[in-house]
Amino acid sequence: MIDVVIVGAGPNGLMLACELALAGVHPVVLERHPAPTGEPRANGIVGQAVRLLDRRGLYTRLSGESTPPSPLPRYVFAAFPLDLTMLAENPQYALGVPQAQLEATLAARAAELKVDLRRGHEVVDLHQRPDAVEVSLSDGTTLTCRFLVGADGGRSAVRRLAGIEFPGVTDDRSVSRTGTVTVPASFLDPGTGGLRVPGFGVVPPFQHTRTARGMIAWAPFPGRPAILSATEWPDAPVADEAPMELAELRASVARVLGADIPIGAPAGPGMLRRLTGGNTRIAARYRAGRVLLLGDAAHVHPAIGGPGLNLGLQDAANLGWKLAATVRGWAPQDLLDTYETERRPVAERVVMSTQAQSALIGPGDEITGLRELFAELLRKPEVTGHIAALMSGADTRYPADPGDPLAGRCAPDVVVHADRGPTRLAELTRTARPLLLDATGGYVDVVGPWRDRVEVVTGPLHGTTATALLVRPDCFIAWSAGDAGTLRASLTRHFGLPR
């Protein structure tokens, strides 16, 4: 019997496969497409997921840089520029790689970890037994597994076949048109990299620019074709059956800006896409027996602010170690259920954030007045800091001992001065094992009965006020320095009974 079958070889499914393999569970990944589609989707990763990739040794592979990720000096919220340089602690990171590159890198890592990836296999039915799930495929074959994970997107077949409802709302008022384009050199602003549009002014790069008629985004990615996007709220429905032409995008941009940009097609392969409306939904349950949902299969929301991969990749990191512990038999009885209790509130905050931003970019003079007020508020560092923490996911705190001020939070970028010399936390977490960082060595004996599951590193800690940290595989803090009794309780709660 297969331990875990993952349906969907997108970034979230592949990330989960890697997490399971690191924990000693080798899943089978089923993907209905016979080969990667190359379909343009996300253009990068923002938020704390960038730090997660760094802590799995994947940031350098994706970025080509040997240095750790650095926070962004600027970002955007609801078409407002966010000046993050005013913050004492800046939580917002970004990695500008297209989704196809991310998938290819994760697929290569999964292959290194001996993950069985089977393309051209579509799930058509499933049946749960008390001890297993039988998965029927379109070629007439059947697989039997202990657990099945649906990472197959917003139209998840696994979610439907498991009978899990997907409540929420559909909004069909907006129309977004996006394409890879070229523009005349005279329209490029050499100082900012933005678009200098006669009759309008400068459209800054990598931001949303709102007008009373819609919104524009201009993304001149280095080394690849620039992307131009226009969003409108038309009075009448727009037929979206016919393929979009470049002239349609140009006309939409002209309506939003009140000025024309003579765009052209890129020299190589291009992309044109029209999206009408969108969905905001969260699955009624993340788990039904031995079936679990991951990423877009569990939640969909507007793309504004780019939170999708940040949410989904961290879902995978949260689920991976808990599912592996359950398969390997040392998980506490309710550990797998904490996947939903910890991650659902994060999805709810993302939904809240994207819905608020969608409202703030809408058309109309009353929205313009509301935006003037928000512009005043965002000049305050405490407001910008709150928004940045929300958008990056840095404000996530899982349920934990209220007497432990660090427990439940993402671990900071600690440096351990051990025998091997100064070592970043990101170098210690690439195996995805639980980790005790002990500045004094005073807790080593306490962890002894769990050493088959928990690694221990001793030495002075820089970057935290704590003298010891118990770090979960998803890089969240399970416990910070207290007495031996509270450490034993945390070890048992997270990593099961001692051997």
Side-chain angles (χ1 to χ4, degrees):
M1 183 189 298
I2 301 167
D3 284 326
V4 179
V5 169
I6 302 170
V7 181
N12 301 321
L14 290 170
M15 185 72 181
L16 176 62
C18 293
E19 294 291 293
L20 289 169
L22 286 168
V25 174
H26 294 276
V28 171
V29 180
L30 304 178
E31 170 55 54
R32 65 186 181 91
H33 294 292
T37 65
E39 181 181 343
R41 292 183 180 177
N43 291 300
I45 308 161
V46 296
Q48 297 294 294
V50 177
R51 297 172 71 205
L52 172 64
L53 293 172
D54 180 42
R55 291 170 173 183
R56 292 296 186 261
L58 295 169
Y59 177 79
T60 297
R61 294 192 188 196
L62 288 161
S63 68
E65 301 173 0
S66 59
T67 55
S70 299
L72 293 170
R74 291 170 297 279
Y75 199 59
V76 63
F77 169 79
F80 291 103
L82 288 182
D83 178 9
L84 304 178
T85 62
M86 70 171 71
L87 303 181
E89 295 185 10
N90 179 359
Q92 186 62 298
Y93 294 79
L95 178 57
V97 296
Q99 183 165 323
Q101 180 185 346
L102 175 62
E103 289 183 5
T105 300
L106 289 171
R109 179 58 175 152
E112 294 169 5
L113 295 170
K114 310 303 182 186
V115 169
D116 185 355
L117 172 55
R118 305 178 188 180
R119 297 189 183 273
H121 289 71
E122 183 174 4
V123 173
V124 296
D125 202 1
L126 64 87
H127 174 69
Q128 291 205 57
R129 305 195 315 243
D131 62 341
V133 183
E134 295 177 356
V135 185
S136 301
L137 306 181
S138 56
D139 61 2
T141 60
T142 300
L143 298 178
T144 303
C145 57
R146 295 178 65 185
F147 290 94
L148 176 68
V149 180
D152 49 344
R155 295 183 175 89
S156 171
V158 172
R159 185 185 63 237
R160 174 176 52 81
L161 292 168
I164 300 175
E165 295 181 353
F166 204 33
V169 296
T170 298
D171 183 353
D172 58 2
R173 294 175 299 167
S174 65
V175 179
S176 296
R177 298 174 175 89
T178 303
T180 46
V181 301
T182 59
V183 298
S186 59
F187 277 71
L188 298 176
D189 183 63
T192 65
L195 287 174
R196 189 180 295 277
V197 184
F200 176 79
V202 174
V203 176
F206 302 108
Q207 293 187 21
H208 294 106
T209 299
R210 178 202 177 264
T211 73
R213 299 170 296 278
M215 189 172 67
I216 295 289
W218 164 247
F221 292 103
R224 53 191 174 110
I227 295 178
L228 184 63
S229 177
T231 301
E232 298 179 85
W233 288 263
D235 295 330
V238 174
D240 58 2
E241 295 83 6
M244 193 179 83
E245 302 291 340
L246 197 63
E248 183 180 337
L249 174 59
R250 180 174 180 175
S252 179
V253 170
R255 287 192 296 269
V256 172
L257 295 181
D260 184 47
I261 302 177
I263 58 177
M271 173 270 293
L272 289 170
R273 182 177 61 204
R274 181 197 307 110
L275 178 63
T276 300
N279 289 297
T280 299
R281 300 180 182 276
I282 299 179
R285 295 174 288 164
Y286 281 23
R287 179 186 180 188
R290 292 181 174 269
V291 178
L292 298 110
L293 302 179
L294 173 68
D296 288 355
H299 41 67
V300 295
H301 46 76
I304 188 167
L309 285 173
N310 189 35
L311 182 58
L313 293 174
Q314 292 191 85
D315 282 351
N318 186 289
L319 175 59
W321 69 276
K322 297 173 180 177
L323 184 54
T326 303
V327 168
R328 298 186 65 184
W330 56 258
Q333 185 174 4
D334 63 345
L335 182 66
L336 195 53
D337 289 330
T338 67
Y339 166 57
E340 177 172 352
T341 58
E342 290 186 346
R343 294 305 296 170
R344 173 181 283 278
V346 183
E348 290 170 348
R349 284 189 65 75
V350 168
V351 165
M352 177 268 287
S353 171
T354 56
Q355 287 182 323
Q357 291 182 74
S358 297
L360 284 166
I361 63 172
D365 293 339
E366 69 280 12
I367 301 298
T368 300
L370 181 62
R371 290 180 63 82
E372 291 175 0
L373 173 60
F374 261 77
E376 292 181 11
L377 294 173
L378 289 171
R379 297 189 190 106
K380 300 178 180 293
E382 61 272 26
V383 176
T384 293
H386 185 93
I387 294 295
L390 169 65
M391 296 187 72
S392 68
D395 62 352
T396 298
R397 183 173 186 185
Y398 298 145
D401 180 356
D404 188 333
L406 299 180
R409 300 186 183 277
C410 188
D413 290 324
V414 175
V415 175
V416 185
H417 290 260
D419 293 340
R420 69 190 82 178
T423 307
R424 297 173 56 229
L425 179 64
E427 299 172 67
L428 299 171
T429 54
R430 293 178 182 178
T431 60
R433 285 173 57 84
L435 179 67
L436 177 72
L437 305 179
D438 187 351
T440 65
Y443 297 97
V444 173
D445 290 342
V446 179
V447 182
W450 285 269
R451 286 299 294 270
D452 59 324
R453 278 155 270 170
V454 181
E455 293 186 4
V456 177
V457 178
T458 60
L461 305 180
H462 291 256
T464 179
T465 57
T467 56
L469 293 173
L470 180 62
V471 181
R472 305 179 346 172
D474 56 359
C475 298
F476 276 74
I477 297 170
W479 168 91
S480 64
D483 59 40
T486 60
L487 175 55
R488 290 190 191 94
S490 184
L491 287 163
T492 303
R493 182 168 63 253
H494 291 93
F495 310 124
L497 296 171
R499 62 186 177 189

